[in-house]
């Protein structure tokens, strides 16, 4: 590449910082630069250009007042001196737009948000493709760097005992969900399905293990009342939309100088088309991963439906076709989580997610049993199999602790999360701890967050870090019960919680949209942009700053660790994990947790 | 070729400050305003009344989940 000679011309009285930054970039790229003093008269500037051998002139003008007249005069004088053809002429500034620059006779115009790389590309005559955006974004393994080694001997001993207890209890037991998962795993093949081959064996076996809703679908072609199939025209329109969007797609990085936490948001508008639209927008605004949110009735239904279906309420139906469309629309860097955690289709959802190509799933025995509505025995046998499949398909899974929102104290929810984690590790899977960053009933009553939202949330992460070297992904979403319908408040709260996650060095974070607290209608796509922008600003603001532990953090951290060990001791003493769930050891009726009833009496000996 | 409203992905929000006497008054005025513009699927996302009036965000859904989306219709190259 030839070295260029560039004259940098600040037209403002004092503002030349932009040009100084560009000068640094040009110097680093090996070009020769001359920076004129600010606020020279246009005639003097033209004379300087005339006297120099510059082949590029970059002018900056931040003030809007009189900009058109001054710039037009500059170009006219260059013409009059016979040197306009000799130099490539660029203009940048807050009031500059490419159209204005072209109108005034400049070769390029750079408005707000222009990067140094963009200006260097102009000087070098290269097309600017936003290389730094794409190069900075690759798919990350959120579990990377964690050994799952225990750091607390007492808790390790109890967790290993309880993991044995869970596995031996589940041994020799099955359920309709486990059977469907095995059928999906053995008789349904994603490549054959993608080639439109008939799945005769699968379809002969599968419906017999489904509930009424799915049986009606497979045997009689009856849909769930709130679903419909897409038309061919709609599907073609979607493909064209995704293709067009991809051409323009740039995927920025939100974390500024950090590499983590990875930022996830949830989608689940009910319609896979609208989901894809939300995902593409989220990707364009920097999201690292997206989480599939299925309808609440899906968790109570024995069996998954099929077909390309839209649903007119919250949550997008899990079908092979819906998941496949969503998968095909994702950018290569986007992590994709399909939640399996809380219902009667848990193991099969993991199998399907694995086959379609998801990156992550979600499984938790205790939340599924105590807050998710599934019978503890059923949830346990299904979750054990789900974790086996998660290991088989290489899907790390987060272990959510949403029972905290019911009123279960953090230490009890964490004890349950650690039991699922211990079982998962034993089965060769890669669990991810998911503490809530939330204004929970526990802290509303206990006043741990009376002053701030930082210390108790930090104590949770510190406690888990003292117990095991496992990935931590607060969610879901962070700031639960702190957000209001006010877009500014909601975005700010999300950004502060995500920034706290960054300061604590966790691996991932799930964020809400600014519509989180609005219940009158679907989440709008600008509300997703609100929080992605806010979180990006939070990360920019704090950079790599660290958070010093406070006395309260340490006190609450120790209380949580002690509480976890006490709960695990009670479970171990009971000698029966499933009975411990029914009996409220991991969250009681007084706490607000109720053992679920969906799938009751559906666990059978093999 | 789709119209401009067809290209709205889901909803149009209007955020403003209305000089009014109560939160209820502010809500009613903004709902009426959006309906006067021809929108039918209208709601108030947020309203906060303080001092001289209300800070209000009203919303009109153009496309809800499961609708046939205008932004998926074929577009002219110039559009």
């Amino acid at each position: 590449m030839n070295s260029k000679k560039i004259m940098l011309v600040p037209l403002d009285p004092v503002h030349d910082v932009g040009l100084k930054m560009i000068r640094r970039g040009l110097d680093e790229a090996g070009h020769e630069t001359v920076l004129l003093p600010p606020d020279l008269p246009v005639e003097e500037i033209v004379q300087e250009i005339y006297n120099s051998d510059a082949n590029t002139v970059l002018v900056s003008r931040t003030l809007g007042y009189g900009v058109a007249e001054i710039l037009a005069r500059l170009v006219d004088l260059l013409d009059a001196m016979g040197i306009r053809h000799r130099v490539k002429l660029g203009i940048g500034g807050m009031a500059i737009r490419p159209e204005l620059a072209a109108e005034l006779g400049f070769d390029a115009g750079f408005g707000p948000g222009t990067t140094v790389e963009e200006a260097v590309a102009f000087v070098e005559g290269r097309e600017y493709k936003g290389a730094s955006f794409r190069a900075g974004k690759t798919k990350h393994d959120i579990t990377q760097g964690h050994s799952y080694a225990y750091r607390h001997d007492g808790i390790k001993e109890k967790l290993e005992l309880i993991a044995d207890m869970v596995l031996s209890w589940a041994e020799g037991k099955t359920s309709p969900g486990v059977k469907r998962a095995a059928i999906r795993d053995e008789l349904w093949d994603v490549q054959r399905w993608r080639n439109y081959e008939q799945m005769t064996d699968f379809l002969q076996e599968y419906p017999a293990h489904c509930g009424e809703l799915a049986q009606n679908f497979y045997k009689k072609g009856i849909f769930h009342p709130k679903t419909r199939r897409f038309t061919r025209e709609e599907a073609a329109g979607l493909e064209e939309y995704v293709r067009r969007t991809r051409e323009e797609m740039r995927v920025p990085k939100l974390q500024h100088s950090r590499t983590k936490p990875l930022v996830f948001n949830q989608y689940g508008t009910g319609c896979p088309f609208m989901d894809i639209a939300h995902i593409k927008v989220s990707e364009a605004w920097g999201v690292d991963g997206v989480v599939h949110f299925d309808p609440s009735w899906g968790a109570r239904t024995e069996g998954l439906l099929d077909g390309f279906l839209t649903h007119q309420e919250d949550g997008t139906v899990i079908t092979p076709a819906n998941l496949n469309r969503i998968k095909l629309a994702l950018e290569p860097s986007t992590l994709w989580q399909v939640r399996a955690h809380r219902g009667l289709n848990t193991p099969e959802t993991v199998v399907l997610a694995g086959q379609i190509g998801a990156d992550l799933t979600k499984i938790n025995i205790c939340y599924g049993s105590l807050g998710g509505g599934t019978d503890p025995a059923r949830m346990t046998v299904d979750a054990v199999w789900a974790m086996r499949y998660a290991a088989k398909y290489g899907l790390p899974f987060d272990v959510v602790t949403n029972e905290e929102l019911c009123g279960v104290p953090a230490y009890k929810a964490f004890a349950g999360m650690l039991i699922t984690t211990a079982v998962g590790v034993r089965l060769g899977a890669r669990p991810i701890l998911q503490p809530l960053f939330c204004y929970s009933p526990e802290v509303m009553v206990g006043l741990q967050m009376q002053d701030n939202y930082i210390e108790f949330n930090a104590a949770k992460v510190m406690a888990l870090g003292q117990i095991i070297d496992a990935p931590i992904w607060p969610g879901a979403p962070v700031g639960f019960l702190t957000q209001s319908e006010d877009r500014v408040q909601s975005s700010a709260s999300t950004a502060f919680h995500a920034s706290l996650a960054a300061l604590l060095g966790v691996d991932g974070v799930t964020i809400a949209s600014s519509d989180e607290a609005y219940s009158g209608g679907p989440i709008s796509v600008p509300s997703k942009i609100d929080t992605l922008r806010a979180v990006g600003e939070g990360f920019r603001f704090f950079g790599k700053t660290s958070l010093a532990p406070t006395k309260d953090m340490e006190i609450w951290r120790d209380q949580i660790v002690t509480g976890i060990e006490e709960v695990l001791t009670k479970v171990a003493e009971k000698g029966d994990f499933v009975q411990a769930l029914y009996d409220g050891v991991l969250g009681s009726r007084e706490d607000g947790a109720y053992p679920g009833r969906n799938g009751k009496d559906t666990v059978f000996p093999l | 070729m789709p119209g401009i409203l067809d290209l709205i992905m889901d909803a149009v929000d209007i955020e403003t400050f209305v000089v009014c006497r109560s939160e209820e008054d502010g809500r009613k005025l903004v709902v009426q305003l959006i309906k006067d513009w021809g929108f039918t699927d209208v709601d108030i996302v947020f309203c906060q009344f303080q001092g001289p009036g209300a800070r209000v965000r009203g919303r009109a859904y153009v496309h809800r989940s499961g609708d046939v989306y205008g932004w998926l219709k074929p577009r002219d190259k110039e559009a």
Side-chain angles (χ1 to χ4, degrees):
Chain A
M1 181 200 68
N2 294 330
S3 168
K4 305 283 183 191
K5 293 179 178 176
I6 304 109
M7 182 163 286
L8 302 156
V9 184
L11 272 180
D12 293 303
V14 288
H15 299 290
D16 64 353
V17 64
L19 281 181
K20 283 178 176 162
M21 288 167 66
I22 289 169
R23 183 188 201 186
R24 189 172 153 186
L26 290 167
D27 289 345
E28 283 172 1
H31 302 293
E32 259 180 64
T33 55
V34 175
L35 176 64
L36 296 186
D39 207 22
L40 291 179
V42 171
E43 291 76 10
E44 200 173 324
I45 291 167
V46 173
Q47 191 62 52
E48 288 281 353
I49 297 169
Y50 183 81
N51 294 340
S52 76
D53 54 356
N55 42 34
T56 307
V57 175
L58 296 179
V59 181
S60 79
R61 173 73 187 187
T62 295
L63 301 180
Y65 178 72
V67 65
E69 292 75 14
I70 293 169
L71 295 174
R73 197 148 146 256
L74 175 72
V75 175
D76 287 347
L77 282 174
L78 288 172
D79 266 335
M81 298 279 283
I83 52 173
R84 173 65 186 91
H85 68 281
R86 199 186 85 193
V87 292
K88 191 150 76 162
L89 197 55
I91 170 74
M94 293 303 284
I96 303 301
R97 296 292 178 273
E99 315 81 68
L100 175 67
E103 203 177 297
L104 294 171
F106 283 75
D107 296 313
F110 302 103
T114 300
T115 61
V116 171
E117 291 79 14
E118 207 171 339
V120 174
F122 167 69
V123 167
E124 294 176 354
R126 288 185 287 111
E127 191 189 350
Y128 177 69
K129 291 181 179 173
S132 63
F133 275 71
R134 284 193 185 280
K137 196 88 172 198
T138 50
K139 194 179 270 191
H140 287 272
D141 174 4
I142 193 169
T143 67
Q144 195 173 23
H146 294 282
S147 64
Y148 293 99
Y150 289 104
R151 293 167 171 157
H152 187 296
D153 290 341
I155 289 179
K156 174 188 175 182
E157 187 190 330
K158 291 170 186 71
L159 282 173
E160 292 198 334
L161 181 74
I162 296 166
D164 283 339
M165 193 189 294
V166 173
L167 290 171
S168 74
W169 180 91
E171 188 69 34
K173 291 188 176 72
T174 189
S175 75
V178 173
K179 286 179 183 169
R180 285 194 306 275
I183 294 167
R184 178 75 65 181
D185 186 48
E186 289 161 21
L187 302 179
W188 192 87
D189 179 80
V190 69
Q191 291 311 327
R192 284 175 51 214
W193 177 80
R194 281 180 176 148
N195 291 333
Y196 302 100
E197 291 177 35
Q198 286 295 314
M199 296 283 171
T200 313
D201 295 350
F202 172 79
L203 289 171
Q204 277 174 353
E205 284 282 323
Y206 185 81
H209 302 282
C210 292
E212 189 184 354
L213 195 144
Q215 283 199 354
N216 280 340
F217 176 81
Y218 288 103
K219 293 181 177 174
K220 301 176 189 168
I222 300 171
F223 288 87
H224 184 276
K226 291 188 173 167
T227 62
R228 72 168 173 92
R229 274 190 200 276
F230 287 109
T231 64
R232 280 177 192 276
E233 291 71 30
E234 285 176 295
L238 176 77
E239 281 167 17
E240 173 59 15
Y241 170 79
V242 171
R243 187 197 61 73
R244 221 170 45 222
T245 305
R246 278 224 168 101
E247 283 177 4
E248 304 297 326
M249 183 61 84
R250 290 162 30 138
V251 279
K253 177 174 176 278
L254 287 178
Q255 290 79 0
H256 183 48
S257 52
R258 289 178 182 268
T259 54
K260 56 185 189 180
L262 299 173
V263 176
F264 292 77
N265 68 9
Q266 300 172 332
Y267 66 85
T269 61
C271 170
F273 284 22
M274 187 62 95
D275 287 342
I276 288 169
H278 278 212
I279 290 168
K280 299 316 289 177
V281 169
S282 297
E283 288 174 331
W285 264 267
V287 85
D288 299 298
V290 292
V291 181
H292 185 98
F293 206 91
D294 58 318
S296 53
W297 56 262
R300 301 189 297 269
T301 303
E302 293 273 17
L304 300 176
L305 304 181
D306 204 349
F308 196 15
L309 303 180
T310 183
H311 172 243
Q312 289 171 329
E313 287 180 358
D314 264 7
T316 301
V317 185
I318 290 180
T319 70
N322 281 1
L323 292 186
N324 191 52
R325 285 274 176 181
I326 290 164
K327 165 69 183 171
L328 294 176
L330 297 170
E331 290 297 303
S333 60
T334 303
L335 288 160
W336 183 37
Q337 183 185 42
V338 178
R339 310 183 317 159
H341 62 311
R342 71 198 196 287
L344 303 180
N345 297 308
T346 297
E348 188 191 350
T349 303
V350 174
V351 173
L352 186 61
Q355 291 220 23
I356 298 277
D359 301 290
L360 297 151
T361 185
K362 183 187 279 278
I363 305 166
N364 188 358
I365 306 172
C366 299
Y367 169 63
S369 301
L370 300 176
T374 305
D375 170 64
R378 172 65 186 271
M379 193 69 237
T380 302
V381 72
D382 279 23
V384 166
W385 276 98
M387 286 187 264
R388 285 199 175 103
Y389 288 120
K392 174 178 173 176
Y393 286 98
L395 293 180
F397 61 89
D398 78 63
V399 190
V400 69
T401 46
N402 278 26
E403 59 267 46
E404 260 203 76
L405 300 175
C406 309
V408 175
Y411 69 90
K412 282 192 194 176
F414 285 8
M417 170 170 64
L418 288 164
I419 291 171
T420 300
T421 300
V423 175
V425 170
R426 189 69 70 80
L427 293 169
R430 288 178 291 158
I432 302 159
L433 305 177
Q434 189 154 88
L436 295 192
F437 278 7
C438 66
Y439 189 46
S440 64
E442 178 190 14
V443 298
M444 288 179 195
V445 175
L447 304 180
Q448 293 94 327
M449 289 187 174
Q450 193 173 28
D451 177 66
N452 65 74
Y453 291 136
I454 295 175
E455 289 172 299
F456 193 70
N457 285 324
K460 289 178 174 179
V461 171
M462 290 160 64
L464 294 171
Q466 283 202 342
I467 293 169
I468 186 169
D469 174 19
I472 300 179
W473 171 5
V478 285
F480 218 108
L481 299 178
T482 68
Q483 290 109 341
S484 71
E485 292 167 336
D486 177 350
R487 187 168 73 96
V488 176
Q489 185 279 338
S490 183
S491 303
S493 184
T494 293
F496 290 136
H497 282 85
S499 297
L500 173 62
L503 295 181
L504 292 167
V506 301
D507 301 276
V509 65
T510 301
I511 64 165
S513 73
S514 65
D515 275 349
E516 174 67 24
Y518 169 62
S519 56
I523 284 170
S524 71
V525 80
S527 75
K528 296 198 153 184
I529 297 173
D530 284 348
T531 48
L532 286 165
R533 287 281 298 115
V535 166
E537 283 305 300
F539 290 164
R540 176 66 187 88
F541 183 82
F542 288 104
K544 287 182 182 160
T545 311
S546 59
L547 183 70
T550 65
K551 197 176 169 191
D552 278 345
M553 284 183 207
E554 288 169 348
I555 291 169
W556 287 326
R557 173 199 65 196
D558 294 345
Q559 285 175 357
I560 291 169
V561 172
T562 305
I564 290 169
E565 192 167 14
E566 285 171 3
V567 173
L568 294 176
T569 303
K570 286 181 189 166
V571 176
E573 284 171 359
K574 196 165 268 293
D576 184 335
F577 166 72
V578 174
Q579 196 55 49
L581 283 170
Y582 284 118
D583 293 347
V585 178
L586 291 143
S588 65
R589 287 172 170 80
E590 293 71 39
D591 293 327
Y594 294 85
R597 295 179 179 179
N598 297 320
K600 191 165 172 55
D601 301 326
T602 57
V603 173
F604 308 105
L606 270 172
Chain B
M1 182 181 153
I4 296 170
L5 271 181
D6 287 325
L7 300 177
I8 300 298
M9 189 165 273
D10 43 28
V12 175
D13 281 12
I14 171 168
E15 212 167 302
T16 190
F17 190 91
V18 190
V19 177
C20 58
R21 292 177 182 172
S22 67
E23 182 177 321
E24 194 188 346
D25 194 17
R27 284 175 177 268
K28 277 184 185 165
L29 288 168
V30 172
V31 165
Q32 192 55 51
L33 175 71
I34 303 174
K35 285 187 172 171
D36 287 349
W37 289 338
F39 292 101
T40 52
D41 188 356
V42 179
D43 194 18
I44 297 297
V45 176
F46 171 71
C47 184
Q48 180 183 19
F49 176 83
Q50 275 174 216
R55 177 177 160 231
V56 190
R57 183 153 65 108
R59 173 170 296 175
Y61 283 100
V62 178
H63 294 117
R64 278 188 182 250
S65 295
D67 286 352
V68 175
Y69 310 118
W71 38 269
L72 289 182
K73 289 179 191 168
R75 292 180 65 185
D76 288 353
K77 282 183 182 170
E78 297 75 16

